[in-house]
Amino acid sequence: MEVVVCKDYDEVSAEAAAMMADLVRTKPDAVLGFATGSSPVGLYKALIRLHKEEALDFSKVTTFNLDEYSDLGSDHPQSYRTFMNDNLFDHVNVPRENTHVPSGTTDDWPAQCAAYEQQIADAGGIDLQVLGIGSDGHIAFNEPGSSLGSRTRLVYLTRQTIADNSRFFEKEEDVPRTAISMGVGSILEARQCLVVVNGANKAPALAAAVEGPVTCMITASALQLHPDTILFCDEAAAAQLTMREYYDWIQQQKQADKTT
C-alpha cells in the first residue's frame, strides 16, 4: 500500500482527484467505484471543478457505489443515492443510467446482492475504487468481524457506526440498523484502490489498517493484500504512523525521478 501524507484535506482531495482524472482521460469508459461519507466530499468537489473548468468528460464513465442503507428509498434525503446525486452526479455529465447505487428496498436481499455483483462483472469490473476508512477501521459497511472474502450482502451495523452516522440524521434512532454493502472480497477485485482519510479521529484506524496485522477486526487492513492501493491522508490522520519517515522518503524519491 502506497501512503501519501498531504499537508491538509484540500491537498488530499486535489491529489486524489488528479489521480482519478488521469484515469478518465486515459480510459474514457472507465468503471469507477465510489464511496459516501465525509471523507470523499472534497474529492467530489475537485472532480466537479475539473469537469467545469478543464472539461473532464464523464460521458462514457460507469459508476458503482459501495453501499446503501436498507429500507431507505432512493429519494430519501439520507440515502446514498441522494448523497451521490447532490455531491457529484448532478454536477458532471455522467449519464444517470450509468450510475449504480445498491437499492435499499427489496423483498429478496440475496437476489438483490447477487444481481449487483453481476452488474459489476458485466461492466468488466471496477477500474478504480474510492474508499474511506471508518473510525473502527471498516471499509464500506464491512464491520469488524466481516469475512475478508465476503461478497455484496446485507450487513448489521455496529453501535459505533450507528453513533458515527447519527450526525447525518435528526436523532440516532433514525439511523438504519442494516445496510447492503459490497464485501471485502468484492472490493479487492477492483484493479486499483484509492483511499482518502482525514482527521485526527481516523489516526488509530489508519495506523492499524496500514501497519497492523491483516485482520477481520480491521477490514481496511485487507487492502495490504491488494496489489495496487494508494492512500492519501492529511497530517492529522497520519499522526500515529510509525513508518512516516519512510513513506515521506518514498514520495521524495518518486518526485526526484519525475524531474530527472
Side-chain angles (χ1 to χ4, degrees):
M1 194 187 307
E2 181 177 354
V3 177
V4 180
V5 181
C6 303
K7 63 181 180 180
D8 55 27
Y9 179 62
D10 287 343
E11 186 175 313
V12 168
S13 301
E15 291 290 335
M19 179 177 166
M20 296 197 77
D22 285 345
L23 172 61
V24 172
R25 292 186 180 111
T26 303
K27 185 179 181 182
D29 61 347
V31 179
L32 305 178
F34 285 127
T36 53
S38 56
S39 295
V41 169
L43 162 60
Y44 299 154
K45 288 181 178 178
L47 290 176
I48 293 167
R49 184 191 65 77
L50 289 171
H51 169 67
K52 293 183 175 180
E53 297 179 9
E54 300 183 22
L56 183 62
D57 183 14
F58 293 88
S59 64
K60 297 180 181 179
V61 163
T62 299
T63 75
F64 290 92
N65 263 70
L66 289 168
D67 42 28
E68 177 62 281
Y69 288 118
S70 64
D71 300 324
L72 293 188
S74 60
D75 58 349
H76 189 284
Q78 295 304 330
S79 76
Y80 286 167
R81 165 57 77 175
T82 297
F83 176 96
M84 291 305 304
N85 290 346
D86 291 347
N87 287 283
L88 183 62
F89 297 155
D90 286 349
H91 308 284
V92 297
N93 64 329
V94 60
R96 190 55 54 92
E97 63 270 19
N98 287 8
T99 65
H100 302 85
V101 179
S103 173
T105 57
T106 181
D107 294 326
D108 189 342
W109 287 107
Q112 171 87 351
C113 295
Y116 199 67
E117 292 259 345
Q118 189 60 52
Q119 284 182 304
I120 295 172
D122 290 345
I126 293 172
D127 291 306
L128 177 62
Q129 176 65 60
V130 175
L131 297 162
I133 297 179
S135 60
D136 60 2
H138 71 247
I139 49 176
F141 272 132
N142 293 288
E143 302 285 38
S146 296
S147 166
L148 301 186
S150 56
R151 311 301 302 185
T152 301
R153 69 207 185 285
L154 183 69
V155 297
Y156 290 84
L157 306 184
T158 64
R159 290 181 178 178
Q160 182 170 341
T161 295
I162 292 168
D164 287 348
N165 290 3
S166 64
R167 67 188 187 276
F168 301 115
F169 293 80
E170 289 189 9
K171 54 185 183 298
E172 186 171 310
E173 291 74 18
D174 294 337
V175 183
R177 268 42 184 174
T178 57
I180 184 173
S181 176
M182 278 192 208
V184 180
S186 309
I187 292 167
L188 292 179
E189 289 181 354
R191 284 178 273 280
Q192 191 171 33
C193 290
L194 168 61
V195 190
V196 288
V197 190
N198 66 287
N201 65 313
K202 297 293 181 70
L206 173 58
V210 173
E211 299 178 347
V214 176
T215 169
C216 68
M217 298 309 293
I218 303 288
T219 54
S221 69
L223 295 171
Q224 295 178 33
L225 305 175
H226 192 275
D228 192 357
T229 291
I230 183 166
L231 185 150
F232 294 100
C233 63
D234 63 8
E235 292 282 355
Q240 295 187 28
L241 292 173
T242 63
M243 297 278 290
R244 167 66 187 277
E245 183 177 347
Y246 176 61
Y247 305 140
D248 289 347
W249 180 81
I250 291 175
Q251 296 308 311
Q252 290 166 7
Q253 297 306 304
K254 287 193 170 188
Q255 189 60 39
D257 290 344
K258 289 180 180 178
T259 58
T260 57

